[in-house]
Amino acid sequence: MKRLVPEGHFAWLPTTVVLIVVLLAGSRLIYLSVQHHATVARATAASVAATFAKKIEPQLQKLDALAARQAVSAKQAMSSPDASLESLPAPATGTFLMSADDKMLGSRSAEAAAAGGIASEWRSAESARPAPASAILGPMRLGSAWLVAARSPIASRGWSVAYADLNDLIADSHLARLADM
């Protein structure tokens, strides 16, 4: 009896099956390795971000504390019934007073442009949704500077605002080391 397929024509079949199985298993292992490395990279990035957030947080708390101290001194200065925010002397460097409707009231003359820009940013931010009494706004770009501002309420008459250059905050918290990692 004659065979339909001569012997030796399928000698390549086991080799081909083994090759396909090895390629499929290898590609699955490569995929799993890439997934594992991505998960590890995400965890490392989250850890680094949390570490550096802890480093800049004290700088932001100092900024908020400065606004709160300025608000307390403004409230004490306005203890008389005829006193107003407009009548108060110019506040400390890096701070200014803002009315309840987010208009800049008192600042040092050298800082008037920055104070006016920050007051405008607060007005713009509150048009979208009201901000809480004490809040931090930023980073915002005014001219060539990136600023962060914190505000604290002065009774119900207005706000005390303290602001700082973002570059200074980053330098003080040593965030530039992030680029070295």
Side-chain angles (χ1 to χ4, degrees), residues 12 15 60 62 74 81 125 135:
W12 54 269
T15 305
L60 295 173
K62 285 180 187 176

Side-chain angles (χ1 to χ4, degrees), residues 34-150:
V34 168
Q35 291 294 91
H36 173 72
H37 287 295
T39 302
V40 168
R42 271 193 295 279
T44 302
S47 171
V48 168
T51 299
F52 284 103
K54 287 178 186 174
K55 288 185 177 187
I56 199 165
E57 187 175 4
Q59 302 299 323
L60 295 173
Q61 287 173 344
K62 285 180 187 176
L63 192 63
D64 187 49
L66 177 61
R69 280 193 310 274
Q70 193 68 35
V72 167
S73 67
K75 187 176 178 181
Q76 289 171 349
M78 291 185 358
S79 60
S80 66
D82 59 338
S84 67
L85 286 174
E86 294 86 1
S87 66
L88 295 177
T93 303
T95 64
F96 67 93
L97 301 176
M98 195 167 62
S99 68
D101 59 347
D102 297 328
K103 291 186 179 149
M104 192 251 320
L105 296 176
S107 74
R108 297 185 177 278
S109 59
E111 300 172 339
I118 292 169
S120 174
E121 289 290 331
W122 276 114
R123 209 174 12 257
S124 177
E126 286 194 325
S127 68
R129 68 186 140 114
S134 293
I136 292 183
L137 178 67
M140 64 192 115
R141 185 169 182 138
L142 296 176
S144 62
W146 286 92
L147 302 174
V148 176

Side-chain angles (χ1 to χ4, degrees), residues 18-42:
V18 168
L19 175 67
I20 290 172
V21 168
V22 167
L23 288 175
L24 289 174
S27 66
R28 178 69 178 157
L29 288 174
I30 290 171
Y31 172 78
L32 291 174
S33 175
V34 168
Q35 291 294 91
H36 173 72
H37 287 295
T39 302
V40 168
R42 271 193 295 279

